[in-house]
Amino acid sequence: MQLFDECKDGLILCKLINDSVPDTIDMRVLNKPLLRKPLNAFQITENNNIVITSAKAIGCSVVNIGSSDIAEGREHLILGLIWQIIRRGLLAQVDIKIHPELYRLCEEGETIDDLLRLTPDQILLRWFNYHLKAAGWKRRCPISNLRCLAFSLTLIQSEQFQPRCMRWRELHCPVKPAKTRAMFPCPSPDPGHSYPR
């Protein structure tokens, strides 16, 4: 597949790591192909060693993955590494310092300090349960089981995700009909507008 072929030299993975955690890798140290001279095996190995070292430095588990695995395009290992890098970047945004509105997730008798002690996974689950409760839904995602697979499977269950979608629709898409086609009430994506990450 093209994805795995593009990852073989390590350059795309290095860019992904820097996108998830800025300034992790100094891009000047990477070997880049020249106009008519592709990278040799030694340069590819150097790049992939930088990928593995940097991924480990940002908190990814790189057990049993070597530079040769990336260079050979081993799909399951590359996908696992990509998933961890993206997850690391996304969960870095789940922070009360970045999103002060998360203070609403404090439960009775809990202080902001208690909320700050929670991991990003726990805050994300609490946010999800907060919106289930606000939508009047009785079921909740179990906070005691924070395994990523269990969270992903619970999140995908449509009966729990449906009230969140319905609540968003109620807030952003009023039920009253539009008088003209130009006054459609739902927000539409503006291609010229840059949305926050």
Side-chain angles (χ1 to χ4, degrees):
M1 290 185 83
Q2 184 179 357
L3 170 67
F4 307 111
D5 292 336
E6 294 295 327
C7 289
K8 286 182 180 182
D9 63 4
L11 295 174
I12 298 286
L13 293 173
C14 286
K15 289 179 183 177
L16 184 62
I17 289 171
N18 270 350
D19 189 54
S20 290
V21 182
D23 301 324
T24 302
I25 301 171
D26 184 355
M27 297 302 278
R28 297 176 294 180
V29 302
L30 296 174
N31 299 300
K32 298 175 184 102
L34 301 175
L35 187 60
R36 295 186 182 180
K37 187 177 178 188
L39 295 177
N40 61 38
F42 177 73
Q43 292 170 320
I44 290 172
T45 301
E46 278 186 337
N47 285 352
N48 289 333
N49 283 334
I50 292 170
V51 167
I52 292 168
T53 307
S54 302
K56 189 174 183 178
I58 66 170
C60 298
S61 173
V62 290
V63 177
N64 292 333
I65 183 169
S67 61
S68 61
D69 296 321
I70 297 172
E72 292 169 7
R74 298 208 178 169
E75 298 175 6
H76 66 289
L77 295 174
I78 292 173
L79 282 177
L81 187 60
I82 290 172
W83 174 82
Q84 288 184 74
I85 295 167
I86 291 173
R87 181 176 183 273
R88 172 66 173 89
L90 290 175
L91 289 180
Q93 300 299 313
V94 181
D95 188 352
I96 198 162
K97 295 169 190 140
I98 298 171
H99 297 285
E101 65 275 13
L102 289 175
Y103 78 90
R104 294 183 192 138
L105 301 178
C106 285
E107 294 175 349
E108 282 186 46
E110 198 173 49
T111 66
I112 294 289
D113 291 332
D114 297 328
L115 191 63
L116 287 172
R117 286 189 202 106
L118 297 177
T119 65
D121 290 1
Q122 292 169 320
I123 292 173
L124 196 57
L125 278 169
R126 190 174 284 191
W127 173 85
F128 191 70
N129 284 332
Y130 171 85
H131 285 287
L132 287 173
K133 183 179 178 184
W137 208 250
K138 291 181 173 59
R139 293 190 65 189
R140 304 284 182 271
C141 291
I143 292 184
S144 59
N145 187 356
L146 292 175
R147 300 199 82 107
C148 192
L149 179 62
F151 174 69
S152 299
L153 292 174
T154 305
L155 185 63
I156 290 170
Q157 290 178 353
S158 62
E159 70 176 35
Q160 289 188 349
F161 195 63
Q162 179 187 8
R164 175 73 184 113
C165 293
M166 290 171 50
R167 182 162 160 73
W168 185 89
R169 190 186 78 209
E170 290 169 5
L171 294 173
H172 299 288
C173 300
V175 179
K176 58 185 175 189
K179 293 181 183 173
T180 66
R181 198 154 175 75
M183 294 177 61
F184 188 70
C186 292
S188 61
D190 180 7
H193 180 3
S194 66
Y195 294 93
R197 296 166 56 1

